[in-house]
């Protein structure tokens, strides 16, 4: 199916609003031994958590937040190692398990704010775009579809294109796509916004704001 794609804008952000819920803040406050977290005013929870976190050494705080978000997938040794690496490297951009990078970004930025910059500042991109079929009906698009359709508008220097050239340019499956796109939002399956790392897509990666792409049916192996 043929699509007309328009890249409206890319916003570069230090945090993704709404990622941390009130329940998250309360659970984390309890882990940082903050009394009566459940009865605190909800609007004050983010500030209270920053204060509670800052009472701990940075790597200790990192261990607590990492265990909360990734404790079911990482063992204690891995969490301890990441908590130290986070102070010197952008772990959320470099971690080899791509499906964890989004959560590592959110953890990193929570700690970055609490410690006024002791952790490296990493950024996310919010890409606003439309994808309109020119020869068929509007259909629901997956993260895999979205990335393949964006290919023609991205520079050859783009990290996704360099690491996943075959998945971006042919009709083979792209199972990593949902890990690269952290959030995908649309109300009408034409106008979209996606959230990803600035490392994956940034303003410099866009070589065309309007272009056409063909979405081929994914070839599923038996």
């Amino acid at each position: 199916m043929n699509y007309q794609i328009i890249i409206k804008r890319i916003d570069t952000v230090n945090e993704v609003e709404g990622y941390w819920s009130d329940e998250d803040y309360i659970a984390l406050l309890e882990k940082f031994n903050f009394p009566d977290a459940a009865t605190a005013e909800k609007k004050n929870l983010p500030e209270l958590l920053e204060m509670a976190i800052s009472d701990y050494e940075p790597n200790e705080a990192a261990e607590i937040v990492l265990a909360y978000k990734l404790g079911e997938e990482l063992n204690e040794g891995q969490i301890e190692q990441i908590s130290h690496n986070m102070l010197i490297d952008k772990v959320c951009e470099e971690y080899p398990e791509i499906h964890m990078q989004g959560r590592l970004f959110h953890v990193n930025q929570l700690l970055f704010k609490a410690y006024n910059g002791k952790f490296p500042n990493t950024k996310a991109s919010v890409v606003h775009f439309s994808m309109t079929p020119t020869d068929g009906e509007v259909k629901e698009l997956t993260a895999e579809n979205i990335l393949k359709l964006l290919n023609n508008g991205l520079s050859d220097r783009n990290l996704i294109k360099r690491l996943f050239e075959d998945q971006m340019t042919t009709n083979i499956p792209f199972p990593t796509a949902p890990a690269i796109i952290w959030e995908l939002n649309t109300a009408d399956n034409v106008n979209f916004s996606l959230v990803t790392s600035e490392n994956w897509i940034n303003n410099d990666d866009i070589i065309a704001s309007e272009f056409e792409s063909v979405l081929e049916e994914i070839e599923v192996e038996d």
Side-chain angles (χ1 to χ4, degrees):
M1 187 182 291
N2 295 304
Y3 280 82
Q4 176 72 25
I5 291 96
I6 299 175
I7 309 293
K8 299 172 183 176
R9 72 177 193 277
I10 298 180
D11 299 327
T12 304
V13 298
N14 292 312
E15 62 179 319
V16 179
E17 288 187 19
Y19 175 78
W20 298 100
S21 68
D22 291 340
E23 290 74 18
D24 287 326
Y25 287 126
I26 291 168
L28 282 168
L29 280 164
E30 290 173 351
K31 290 182 181 298
F32 282 97
N33 296 312
F34 185 90
D36 305 320
T39 58
E41 283 194 51
K42 290 183 177 179
K43 66 178 182 180
N44 296 330
L45 290 172
E47 185 178 349
L48 291 173
L49 181 58
E50 285 182 29
M51 290 169 53
I53 287 175
S54 63
D55 286 338
Y56 287 69
E57 289 298 314
N59 63 293
E60 292 177 335
E63 283 190 42
I64 292 170
V65 184
L66 285 166
Y68 175 72
K69 288 305 295 181
L70 293 155
E72 293 184 0
E73 295 162 78
L74 299 172
N75 61 41
E76 288 184 16
Q78 290 171 313
I79 288 172
E80 183 180 1
Q81 183 67 49
I82 293 172
S83 72
H84 288 282
N85 291 346
M86 285 180 75
L87 282 159
I88 52 176
D89 293 320
K90 294 184 178 182
V91 174
C92 60
E93 295 182 359
E94 301 165 3
Y95 201 69
E97 299 292 339
I98 293 174
H99 71 279
M100 295 186 189
Q101 288 183 0
R103 282 171 290 167
L104 287 169
F105 166 82
H106 296 296
V107 169
N108 186 93
Q109 292 309 98
L110 186 71
L111 296 166
F112 172 80
K113 285 182 68 179
Y115 288 101
N116 294 315
K118 285 188 179 179
F119 289 79
N121 186 21
T122 58
K123 296 179 181 179
S125 293
V126 184
V127 187
H128 302 271
F129 59 99
S130 64
M131 292 185 163
T132 308
T134 58
D135 60 354
E137 294 182 359
V138 172
K139 61 175 249 180
E140 186 174 345
L141 296 174
T142 64
E144 179 180 52
N145 300 148
I146 296 287
L147 288 182
K148 288 175 182 284
L149 285 169
L150 287 175
N151 182 72
N152 288 350
L154 296 175
S155 162
D156 289 339
R157 297 187 302 275
N158 172 261
L159 184 61
I160 306 171
K161 290 182 72 164
R162 287 193 281 120
L163 291 181
F164 302 101
E165 181 181 1
D166 290 343
Q167 291 88 340
M168 288 286 279
T169 58
T170 69
N171 63 342
I172 65 172
F174 192 176
T176 311
I180 292 172
I181 296 181
W182 301 343
E183 291 182 22
L184 180 62
N185 301 300
T186 183
D188 56 10
N189 290 311
V190 172
N191 298 285
F192 297 85
S193 67
L194 68 79
V195 181
T196 187
S197 170
E198 184 189 44
N199 195 44
W200 287 121
I201 300 177
N202 58 63
N203 276 291
D204 292 337
D205 288 323
I206 303 299
I207 57 171
S209 58
E210 295 189 30
F211 54 94
E212 293 184 357
S213 288
V214 177
L215 182 62
E216 299 180 39
E217 191 167 336
I218 305 300
E219 207 170 77
V220 181
E221 295 182 0
D222 294 331

